[in-house]
Amino acid sequence: MLDVKQAVDRAAKYLGELFLENKPKNLLLEEVRLDDDERRWSVTLSFEAKGGEELEGIAFLQLKPKRQVRTIEVSAKDGKFLGMKKPQNV
C-alpha cells in the first residue's frame, strides 16, 4: 500500500504527464486524503499555468501566471492512475 508521500509523488508525476505541452510549474500541495475504505488517495495540487494570451514588452512582465487546481486520484494499492478532476469550489 502506498503511503502519503508516495501518493503525492505519483500524483505529481501523473499531472506532469497529462499536461505534456504545458508542463505545470511551481506545484503546491493543497490537500491529500485517503478515502474511508483506504482504496484511493485524492491528491489536490495547484500549479502555475500560462495565460491564453501572448503579450509583448512591458505587458508581459506585468502578467502574473494563473494558478490552476486539479485533484488526482491514485490507487492506494498499487499507485495506478484512477482519474483527474478540477475541483468545483476553486
Side-chain angles (χ1 to χ4, degrees):
M1 182 170 158
L2 267 65
D3 66 23
V4 66
K5 289 180 181 181
Q6 292 169 319
V8 171
D9 285 344
R10 288 283 175 99
K13 175 183 167 250
Y14 291 137
L15 186 68
E17 291 173 358
L18 292 170
F19 283 84
L20 269 179
E21 294 176 11
N22 189 13
K23 285 275 190 195
K25 296 180 183 175
N26 298 323
L27 281 177
L28 290 177
L29 177 63
E30 299 290 342
E31 182 177 333
V32 62
R33 177 181 181 281
L34 181 61
D35 68 4
D36 292 337
D37 59 4
E38 297 187 356
R39 292 185 183 176
R40 152 186 330 234
W41 285 101
S42 294
V43 180
T44 303
L45 301 167
S46 68
F47 56 95
E48 288 181 2
K50 279 186 179 177
E53 303 174 16
E54 291 294 326
L55 300 175
E56 297 179 5
I58 194 86
F60 175 77
L61 297 174
Q62 294 173 345
L63 180 66
K64 289 185 180 179
K66 294 181 182 179
R67 290 202 70 80
Q68 293 190 21
V69 179
R70 296 292 186 276
T71 298
I72 308 293
E73 295 181 345
V74 177
S75 167
K77 180 180 177 182
D78 56 16
K80 286 185 182 177
F81 175 82
L82 298 176
M84 179 178 77
K85 61 183 174 181
K86 184 176 181 179
Q88 292 184 10
N89 60 351
V90 178

